[in-house]
Every structure is written in structure tokens, then in C-alpha cells.
């Protein structure tokens, strides 16, 4: 009977043990008992460490195997090469194993072969190294499994990172190398007598900086045929440089935005994480593990007709992943091909690949179907049911002599208190957030990109909501709108919610959004940018829907109160609230005036945005707009008071007055400025004896910023 020695018995080695048995081999497996889940699949199991080469060799001389093999472990691969050489079995050379298991030797081999490599330097603890630039990656020279990998941004951080990496290294050394930008992929190959075949290209997802622990893999990777050819050519050259002539190969690389391919590292073995053992056969129909057995025995690999499926693995990193798995098992059991759960997901302390508590594997017929299953949107919407906010009659009359019984009444003022919505200090942005989360659920998005600055009520609310729902949140921070660099109540809340900030200038917004999208996708997330594409277009209808509904709410309140509001005034910034109210007004067919007091945009631009919003909303709902609908767009920039985030003494005085007379807080960025603008608008247009509704859109934390500067 044919015999095979297999080094290693953890869950990633089990497919090799099982496959060899199916192929008629008597399996002799060497590993520590702890974690050796494949021990029960072996014909003979030897409780010996995979590093005890001489002891294993002594037993192998008695076994007289026909092949020796492993998958997914550099450490085991060293022992495999040693045994194959001593026993006269097929395998790769000792130089090949040195080059493919030691990162410094690998970089040196690439350099000699003319393959582009980043700056690199091997160091020991205490050595001084001065990289050409930062950031750099520091990792052990001779370990796999994402152990002690750190992205380092400054010279001061370097020493500790080197120490941590060297402590994990068998030779007590670390490699410092230039950080390579770009999306990360792996390439699975099989070689026989120096002839290489590419079996699959895999998209890799990691936790990102600083430790880059794999969170999932998708196969085939979504790359063009042209790029696939470039990847194959580059990897084959690298395999030759490392002298990989027989057996499986696992190459890791990055592709930057310009299409440049840079090799990260290559192993003369199958990849771990079930990439070769499970994903390759599921997506291509090729039996990669059988090929590894055949080449280890000196036989050519057997190829079958290639099938085109999609497969993926997701690692259980937190309770959300576990909940995702449970839903898939319930709703799509036929798509779940494998589940391994080895630890407590809730309590897991994940520091490297070995500490991940489990995973699941999916297979679908199409990439579109995989997109639906691989990602999961928010599990709940804490804002699912929002109350009707009250309309408050104000004592304010607009005549400049508030509360004076003998003063003439210019207008009758009411205020709809959106600031009383019961979430994160309230405001119209709570309704936006409600609709954004519902849209995320529909699109299966599991992370959010927000935009604004530290005065932004929307950023405060969305950052809080993402924190509550355990959704990664990136904030594209426009640093130009607000000139002063001081802490605000909103900024304190936003920062405490753990957002990842990407500061940028106005001209850099699209690039910053794309950077956030790229980073989240590299982490295996499906990001949701609240404004649509990188130009901020495509999702205007989401918050509009919220205020179309609020308009209906206002109409109902009017009927109950027995009143009709002639004007609705509001602070208008992104124009979504005003657009939604106008959509509701046009739907009702009434003649009410809805006036937006701009706090940021100029009048021409604001009217253009509102008109476009209404047109797209009507198109989406297959409705028509009246020919003169643009005449209903009342939006003015006459009261912006030198721009966003700035305010006049008139606004400050009015904020103080309204609080004293009504007990209602306004803020200097949005509602205070808009209320002041409303009063001036009514005066400028000689509007008298009308029922005026002011929409209080929130901003309570900003009111407390006001209190830091002014006494009431």
C-alpha cells in the first residue's frame, strides 16, 4: 500500500489527510496533540512536534513513505523539504525552502532576478534602521499567519515594532520594508518539474493597519483578463526566482491604482485559510489537494474541465459574523459549504490568524449572488419608529418688543420641534439616519462613510448610530468650512464614537471618499457613502423621503390644530430637508411657501440642487412635476453672515432672546442663524399677519458651545 507522511494536523491540514486517504494512501501524520483536529482522520498519528525533524526522520525511515507533504504552514514546509531530501523523495531544494520561508532571503532572491522589490532591511533587536520613507511594514523574517505584523508611521514607533516581530521569529530577526499600496490578492499555483499552472486568483480582505489579519477571501478575484495575464506572468517569474519547481505555490501581492503589481511574499506550499483546499475546488472544479499529493509523489497533476463558480470564506471575528452565519444557515443552507467553530466568538481576543475562533465557506453560481450573501447590512434600526414631534406656539411676535402686551403683532410664530426627536440630542438628521439605515439594509451594506466637519449634526448622529450598531464608520472631514481649530460638543461626541477620520480640502473630497471606500473594501466591508458616488450624487432621495413624510405629518397637525401655516422656514444646508418638504408640498398641490435660509451654499447652487433633487425624486416615483415647480423654490443666501460656521451679533442676541422667552435652545451654525434670517426675510419682504412655522432642525450640542462664549 502507498504511504504518505503529512506534517501538521490542524483544521487547515485535514483536507490533505482526508484526500490522501481517499487516493489510497496510508496516512502517517505528525503534530502536537493540541489543536490536531485531523488526528482522527489519520491512519497513524504521531504526537511529535513538526519541528523535530530528526526524530520524525528516524520514524520515517521505518515507514518508508512514497511521499511527504503539508499545506498551509511554512514551519511544516521546512520539515517536509528536509524529510524529502533525506528520504530521496520528490520535492524542492533546500535553497527553495530557504528563499520561500525567510522573507529577507525571498526579497534578496527577487532582487537578484530583477523583480521589483520595495526597500527592505533585516534587523535584530537593538539595531538601528532608518527607512527611506514611512509608513513601513515590520514583521518576523520567518513566520506566517499574520504574526506580529505592524504598520509603522514614525521612527519613534519602529523600535517597539521590531522587538515584537523579532520575539515571534525563530531566528529572532525582523524585516523592515516599504509599505506597498494597493489592493491585496493571492495566487494559487501548481508546479511540476518547473512548469507552472495558475489555478486561481483570490481577493484578500484583512483588518488593515496595523496588523493585517485576514478576515476573508473571495475567489475568483474581480480582475480583468488583461490583469489576470499580468499577474500570472509576474508570479511565474517570481516562482522561478525562488526555485519553486514542484508542488503547490501560494503568492501574495498588491496591485496599485496604476495597475503595478508588487509581490509581498510567496510560499512553496498551498495557502492556508482553506484557500487552496476548499475555495479552489469550489470555484474552479480543480482538485488542488490531490495535485499536491500527486506532485509530492513525483506524479504530474491531473487537471479536469474547469467550472466557473464563486466561493468565499469569512472568518468569525465578532458576534455580528456569528449572527450572519446563523442567518445564512437558516435562509441559504445549500450555499454554506463548511463551518468550523473552535472558540468563543464573543470572548475571542484576535491578535493573529491563529486566534480567530472559526470560519464559514460559501459557494454561489454568480458574483452577484455572492455579493448578496457575503455581506450583511445592519441587523436592526434603533430609529425604526420615530414619534410625531410637537408644534409649539411661540410668544415671539417678530416686532422687536417681545412679550410687550401693547406691541403690535406682526406675525404668529410656531415652531416644529424636530430637536426633540429622542436620539443623540435630536434634530432633522435623526430622520435622515433612520432612512439611511433602512437603505443600508436593502443594499446589504455593513459600513458607513459620512461627510462633514465637527460642527455637523449629521456626523454626530450617524457616528453615534454606527457605534451603537457596531458598523465601521469613516468620516471625510472637510477642514476648510470651519476655520477655527477648537473642540466643540459635536466634535467631542464624534471623536468618542471611534470614527476613522480622513481630513481633506474641498477640492480633495472625491479622492477622500474613494480612499475611504477602498480601505473599507480591503477590510472585507461593503461601504455605504451617505451621498451616493464620490461626487456626492445618487442618494438625495433617501433623506428627501424623510421630509416628504414630515410634510404629511405637518398637514395632519394643521388639521388637528385648526390652523394653516402660510410659510415654513428652515435652515438649509445640503438642501435635502427643503427638497423633501417641497416634494410633499407638490404632492399635496398646495400653495404654501417653504423658505430655506442658507447656512452654507450660495443661492444659485442651492436652487440648482433642489431642482435636481425634485426632478430625480419625481422620476424615481414615476410622477410628474408642474411646469412652474422651480418658482416654488425659495432659497436665499442673503443671511449667511460670512459663511458656514460664522455668525453675527444679531444671531447671538436672538439666540439669547429666544431662550429667555421660550426656553428653546437655538445654535449659531444652523437654527439660530436661520431664525435670525427668517425674521429679516419677513421684514425685508414686508410680510405681516401670517402664520409662520419654523422647523427647528436641531443642534442642541452647538447651543452649549454658544454658552461657552456668551452668558444668557
Amino acid at each position: 500500500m502507498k504511504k504518505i507522511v503529512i506534517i501538521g494536523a490542524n483544521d487547515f491540514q485535514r483536507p490533505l489527510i482526508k484526500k490522501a486517504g481517499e487516493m489510497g494512501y496510508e496516512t502517517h501524520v505528525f503534530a502536537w496533540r493540541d489543536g490536531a483536529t485531523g488526528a482522527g482522520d489519520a491512519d497513524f498519528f504521531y504526537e511529535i512536534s513538526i519541528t523535530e525533524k530528526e526524530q520524525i526522520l528516524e520514524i520515517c525511515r521505518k515507514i518508508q513513505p512514497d511521499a511527504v507533504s503539508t499545506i498551509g504552514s511554512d514551519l511544516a514546509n521546512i520539515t517536509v523539504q528536509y524529510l524529502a531530501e533525506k528520504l530521496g523523495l520528490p520535492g524542492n531544494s533546500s535553497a527553495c525552502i530557504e528563499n520561500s520561508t525567510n522573507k529577507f532571503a525571498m526579497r534578496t532572491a527577487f532582487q537578484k532576478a530583477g523583480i521589483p522589490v520595495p526597500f527592505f532591511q533585516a534587523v535584530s533587536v537593538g539595531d538601528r534602521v532608518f527607512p527611506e520613507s514611512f509608513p513601513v511594514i515590520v514583521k518576523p523574517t520567518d513566520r506566517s499567519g499574520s504574526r506580529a505584523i505592524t504598520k509603522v508611521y514614525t521612527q519613534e514607533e519602529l523600535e517597539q515594532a521590531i522587538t515584537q516581530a523579532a520575539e515571534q521569529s525563530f531566528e529572532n530577526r525582523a524585516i523592515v520594508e516599504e509599505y506597498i499600496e494597493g489592493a491585496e490578492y493571492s495566487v494559487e499555483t501548481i508546479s511540476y518539474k518547473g512548469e507552472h499552472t495558475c489555478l486561481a486568483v483570490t481577493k484578500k480582505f484583512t483588518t488593515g493597519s496595523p496588523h493585517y489579519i485576514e478576515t476573508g477571501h473571495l475567489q475568483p478575484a474581480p480582475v480583468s483578463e488583461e490583469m489576470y495575464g499580468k499577474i500570472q506572468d509576474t508570479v511565474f517569474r517570481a516562482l522561478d526566482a525562488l526555485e519553486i519547481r514542484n508542488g503547490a505555490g501560494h503568492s501574495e501581492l498588491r496591485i496599485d491604482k496604476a495597475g503595478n503589481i508588487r509581490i509581498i511574499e510567496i510560499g512553496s506550499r498551498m495557502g492556508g485559510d482553506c484557500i487552496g483546499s476548499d475555495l479552489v475546488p469550489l470555484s474552479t472544479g480543480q482538485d488542488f489537494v490531490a495535485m499536491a499529493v500527486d506532485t509530492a509523489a513525483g506524479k504530474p497533476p491531473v487537471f479536469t474541465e474547469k467550472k466557473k463558480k464563486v466561493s468565499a470564506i469569512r472568518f468569525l471575528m465578532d458576534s455580528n459574523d456569528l449572527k450572519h452565519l446563523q442567518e445564512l444557515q437558516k435562509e441559504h443552507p445549500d450555499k454554506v459549504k463548511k463551518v468550523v467553530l473552535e472558540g468563543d466568538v464573543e470572548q475571542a481576543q484576535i491578535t493573529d490568524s491563529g486566534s480567530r475562533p472559526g470560519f464559514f465557506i460559501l459557494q454561489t453560481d454568480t458574483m452577484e449572488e455572492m455579493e448578496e450573501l457575503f455581506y450583511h447590512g445592519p441587523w436592526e434600526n434603533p430609529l425604526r419608529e420615530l414619534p410625531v414631534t410637537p408644534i409649539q406656539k411661540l410668544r415671539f411676535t417678530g416686532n422687536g418688543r417681545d412679550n410687550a402686551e401693547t406691541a403690535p403683532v406682526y406675525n404668529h410664530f410656531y415652531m416644529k420641534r424636530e430637536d426633540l426627536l429622542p436620539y443623540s440630542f435630536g434634530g432633522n438628521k435623526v430622520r435622515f439616519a433612520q432612512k439611511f439605515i433602512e437603505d443600508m439594509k436593502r443594499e446589504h451594506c455593513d459600513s458607513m462613510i459620512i461627510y462633514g466637519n465637527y460642527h455637523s449634526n449629521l456626523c454626530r448622529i450617524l457616528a453615534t448610530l454606527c457605534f451603537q450598531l457596531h458598523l465601521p464608520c469613516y468620516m471625510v472631514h472637510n477642514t476648510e468650512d470651519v476655520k477655527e481649530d477648537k473642540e466643540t460638543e459635536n466634535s467631542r461626541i464624534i471623536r468618542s464614537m471611534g470614527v476613522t477620520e480622513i481630513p481633506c480640502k474641498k477640492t480633495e473630497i472625491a479622492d477622500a471618499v474613494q480612499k475611504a471606500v477602498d480601505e473599507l473594501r480591503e477590510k472585507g466591508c461593503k461601504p455605504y457613502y451617505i451621498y451616493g458616488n464620490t461626487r456626492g450624487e445618487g442618494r438625495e432621495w433617501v433623506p428627501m423621503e424623510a421630509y416628504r413624510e414630515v410634510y404629511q405629518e405637518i398637514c395632519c397637525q394643521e388639521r388637528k390644530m385648526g390652523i394653516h401655516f402660510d410659510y415654513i422656514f428652515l435652515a438649509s444646508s445640503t438642501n435635502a430637508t427643503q427638497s423633501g418638504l417641497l416634494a410633499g408640498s407638490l404632492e399635496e398641490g398646495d400653495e404654501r411657501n417653504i423658505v430655506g435660509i442658507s447656512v452654507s451654499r450660495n443661492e444659485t447652487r442651492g436652487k440648482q440642487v433642489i431642482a435636481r433633487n425634485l426632478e430625480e425624486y419625481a422620476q424615481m416615483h414615476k410622477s410628474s412635476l408642474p411646469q412652474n415647480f422651480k418658482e416654488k423654490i425659495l432659497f436665499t443666501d442673503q443671511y449667511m453672515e460670512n459663511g458656514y460656521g460664522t455668525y453675527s451679533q444679531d444671531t447671538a442676541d436672538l439666540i439669547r432672546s429666544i431662550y429667555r422667552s421660550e426656553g428653546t435652545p437655538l445654535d449659531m451654525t444652523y437654527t439660530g442663524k436661520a431664525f435670525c434670517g427668517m425674521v429679516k426675510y419677513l421684514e425685508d419682504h414686508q410680510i405681516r399677519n401670517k402664520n409662520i412655522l419654523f422647523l427647528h432642525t436641531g443642534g442642541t450640542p452647538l447651543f452649549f458651545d454658544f454658552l461657552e462664549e456668551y452668558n444668557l
Side-chain angles (χ1 to χ4, degrees):
M1 187 178 188
K2 296 180 295 183
K3 301 176 183 178
I4 186 171
V5 166
I6 295 172
I7 305 301
N10 65 17
D11 203 75
F12 295 135
Q13 302 283 353
R14 288 188 72 185
L16 176 62
I17 301 169
K18 290 181 176 181
K19 179 60 64 176
E22 292 170 7
M23 295 172 68
Y25 284 87
E26 182 180 273
T27 53
H28 296 258
V29 180
F30 293 81
W32 277 127
R33 174 68 65 177
D34 186 32
T37 56
D41 302 303
D43 293 313
F44 297 92
F45 179 72
Y46 306 85
E47 197 169 327
I48 301 173
S49 168
I50 62 175
T51 62
E52 298 293 339
K53 297 185 293 186
E54 291 80 5
Q55 188 177 352
I56 296 173
L57 176 61
E58 185 178 339
I59 297 172
C60 285
R61 292 193 190 281
K62 299 174 183 176
I63 297 170
Q64 294 185 336
D66 299 278
V68 56
S69 186
T70 191
I71 55 176
S73 168
D74 280 345
L75 193 57
N77 204 25
I78 295 171
T79 299
V80 166
Q81 188 281 324
Y82 173 82
L83 296 174
E85 183 178 340
K86 296 295 184 182
L87 296 170
L89 297 173
N92 288 305
S93 66
S94 58
C96 167
I97 300 304
E98 169 67 13
N99 289 339
S100 61
T101 60
N102 184 287
K103 295 172 179 61
F104 179 72
M106 184 182 302
R107 291 276 183 241
T108 303
F110 289 158
Q111 199 171 53
K112 288 180 179 178
I115 297 172
V117 296
F119 160 84
F120 68 99
Q121 184 173 339
V123 293
S124 300
V125 175
D127 288 351
R128 299 285 289 169
V129 58
F130 297 93
E132 298 171 356
S133 62
F134 286 93
V136 295
I137 293 291
V138 180
K139 51 190 173 183
T141 54
D142 53 5
R143 292 301 297 268
S144 58
S146 302
R147 291 180 178 85
I149 298 177
T150 307
K151 188 177 183 180
V152 175
Y153 292 88
T154 66
Q155 188 71 39
E156 291 71 27
E157 299 171 348
L158 199 53
E159 183 178 348
Q160 182 179 0
I162 290 171
T163 300
Q164 291 173 343
E167 286 174 350
Q168 290 292 319
S169 167
F170 294 110
E171 61 178 12
N172 300 119
R173 302 189 81 201
I175 185 168
V176 179
E177 57 188 31
E178 171 194 346
Y179 174 69
I180 301 172
E181 296 281 355
E184 191 169 351
Y185 301 86
S186 68
V187 184
E188 315 316 312
T189 56
I190 190 73
S191 302
Y192 180 67
K193 295 184 177 179
E195 183 177 342
H196 314 300
T197 301
C198 180
L199 298 174
V201 178
T202 309
K203 181 71 187 74
K204 299 186 65 177
F205 305 114
T206 75
T207 56
S209 180
H211 300 307
Y212 297 92
I213 302 167
E214 284 90 347
T215 60
H217 305 281
L218 175 66
Q219 194 181 102
V223 298
S224 67
E225 287 190 21
E226 180 184 2
M227 180 55 69
Y228 183 91
K230 288 177 62 177
I231 290 170
Q232 181 174 271
D233 291 344
T234 302
V235 168
F236 287 1
R237 287 178 57 209
L239 294 174
D240 289 337
L242 298 181
E243 301 182 32
I244 297 176
R245 295 184 54 78
N246 292 290
H250 175 70
S251 306
E252 297 179 353
L253 53 86
R254 284 186 182 270
I255 304 175
D256 65 21
K257 291 181 180 179
N260 299 310
I261 299 172
R262 304 288 291 276
I263 300 289
I264 299 173
E265 57 188 62
I266 292 180
S268 55
R269 53 168 173 79
M270 285 177 61
D273 285 0
C274 301
I275 296 173
S277 58
D278 293 79
L279 300 194
V280 169
L282 285 172
S283 63
T284 71
Q286 304 299 326
D287 196 335
F288 196 8
V289 179
M291 293 178 185
V293 173
D294 280 338
T295 52
K299 299 176 182 179
V302 177
F303 300 97
T304 59
E305 183 178 352
K306 191 171 184 179
K307 66 180 180 181
K308 293 185 177 180
K309 299 279 188 178
V310 181
S311 63
I313 182 170
R314 287 213 73 147
F315 292 94
L316 301 173
M317 309 295 283
D318 55 35
S319 57
N320 274 340
D321 292 330
L322 184 59
K323 192 172 183 180
H324 186 186
L325 167 61
Q326 291 166 346
E327 183 181 80
L328 289 170
Q329 289 175 313
K330 179 181 178 182
E331 302 294 335
H332 305 278
D334 58 317
K335 306 300 181 184
V336 181
K337 299 302 179 181
K338 188 175 185 178
V339 175
V340 171
L341 187 58
E342 296 177 322
D344 187 338
V345 177
E346 299 276 359
Q347 303 298 322
Q349 299 293 318
I350 302 173
T351 57
D352 54 32
S353 295
S355 54
R356 296 169 303 190
F359 61 85
F360 61 90
I361 294 174
L362 303 172
Q363 182 194 43
T364 61
D365 292 326
T366 65
M367 189 64 76
E368 290 75 18
E369 188 180 6
M370 183 60 76
E371 283 272 325
E372 290 289 315
L373 302 184
F374 193 70
Y375 304 101
H376 195 288
W379 292 100
E380 61 176 320
N381 187 350
L383 309 175
R384 187 170 58 87
E385 294 182 4
L386 294 176
V388 174
T389 54
I391 292 178
Q392 169 187 352
K393 176 72 168 71
L394 302 184
R395 302 171 70 192
F396 179 81
T397 63
N399 58 27
R401 288 185 288 164
D402 303 334
N403 305 322
E405 293 181 2
T406 59
V409 176
Y410 287 174
N411 287 293
H412 305 279
F413 288 90
Y414 297 78
M415 184 181 290
K416 184 165 175 60
R417 298 292 302 275
E418 293 289 270
D419 60 312
L420 298 181
L421 286 167
Y423 189 82
S424 185
F425 299 99
N428 63 329
K429 304 309 190 295
V430 174
R431 296 195 191 273
F432 287 14
Q434 177 196 48
K435 297 299 183 182
F436 284 139
I437 292 298
E438 289 302 319
D439 198 39
M440 286 183 73
K441 291 175 72 174
R442 283 189 292 269
E443 296 191 14
H444 294 266
C445 292
D446 55 9
S447 53
M448 182 179 281
I449 301 169
I450 62 180
Y451 166 78
N453 55 57
Y454 286 131
H455 282 244
S456 171
N457 294 320
L458 181 59
C459 288
R460 177 193 79 238
I461 290 166
L462 290 178
T464 303
L465 190 56
C466 286
F467 184 87
Q468 181 180 0
L469 295 176
H470 306 288
L471 300 175
C473 181
Y474 275 58
M475 176 180 173
V476 174
H477 181 189
N478 177 357
T479 58
E480 290 186 333
D481 267 351
V482 180
K483 305 303 180 186
E484 76 274 12
D485 184 24
K486 65 178 182 181
E487 198 76 83
T488 68
E489 298 302 332
N490 270 351
S491 69
R492 290 185 181 99
I493 293 171
I494 293 167
R495 285 201 174 101
S496 69
M497 294 299 103
V499 301
T500 300
E501 180 186 348
I502 301 181
C504 67
K505 298 177 181 178
K506 286 184 178 179
T507 57
E508 301 167 342
I509 293 171
D511 289 340
V513 172
Q514 189 61 56
K515 179 181 179 183
V517 168
D518 291 343
E519 286 191 13
L520 284 166
R521 284 178 176 164
E522 285 302 300
K523 292 180 179 181
C525 297
K526 186 178 181 182
Y528 180 94
Y529 179 41
I530 59 172
Y531 293 128
N533 60 28
T534 56
R535 298 186 303 277
E537 300 169 346
R539 289 206 172 95
E540 295 84 355
W541 68 272
V542 178
M544 278 183 67
E545 181 65 24
Y547 275 86
R548 185 194 66 81
E549 294 174 1
V550 168
Y551 191 85
Q552 295 172 339
E553 182 176 298
I554 292 171
C555 292
C556 289
Q557 289 176 293
E558 282 181 312
R559 289 190 285 271
K560 288 181 180 179
M561 296 170 68
I563 192 172
H564 173 76
F565 299 116
D566 302 290
Y567 286 82
I568 297 176
F569 283 86
L570 70 152
S572 197
S573 177
T574 62
N575 308 120
T577 303
Q578 187 174 356
S579 297
L581 292 173
L582 277 167
S585 176
L586 292 169
E587 188 178 272
E588 289 289 325
D590 60 32
E591 296 299 321
R592 194 194 317 274
N593 295 298
I594 300 172
V595 184
I597 304 296
S598 177
V599 298
S600 59
R601 280 182 170 150
N602 67 60
E603 184 171 321
T604 300
R605 176 60 177 157
K607 288 183 175 180
Q608 288 173 345
V609 169
I610 294 170
R612 185 194 67 199
N613 288 351
L614 290 169
E615 289 168 341
E616 292 179 355
Y617 190 83
Q619 184 178 9
M620 174 181 288
H621 289 81
K622 298 180 180 179
S623 59
S624 59
L625 296 169
Q627 288 186 343
N628 65 341
F629 82 94
K630 291 183 180 179
E631 296 175 9
K632 292 206 66 175
I633 301 174
L634 303 178
F635 176 82
T636 177
D637 61 6
Q638 295 299 304
Y639 313 105
M640 278 204 302
E641 301 176 345
N642 297 319
Y644 181 82
T646 63
Y647 59 99
S648 67
Q649 187 62 47
D650 286 347
T651 293
D653 291 342
L654 188 62
I655 291 172
R656 187 184 295 109
S657 174
I658 292 298
Y659 188 82
R660 288 173 174 174
S661 67
E662 315 294 340
T664 302
L666 301 176
D667 71 271
M668 61 283 196
T669 301
Y670 301 102
T671 53
K673 183 183 289 188
F675 200 101
C676 188
M678 173 185 69
V679 172
K680 291 179 179 179
Y681 183 98
L682 294 170
E683 291 174 354
D684 292 344
H685 291 79
Q686 294 296 300
I687 297 170
R688 295 286 187 270
N689 199 31
K690 299 294 182 181
N691 291 322
I692 310 297
L693 179 66
F694 180 77
L695 188 71
H696 192 317
T697 51
T700 302
L702 297 173
F703 172 73
F704 292 107
D705 294 330
F706 173 81
L707 292 183
E708 290 184 5
E709 296 187 33
Y710 294 90
N711 293 318
L712 286 176

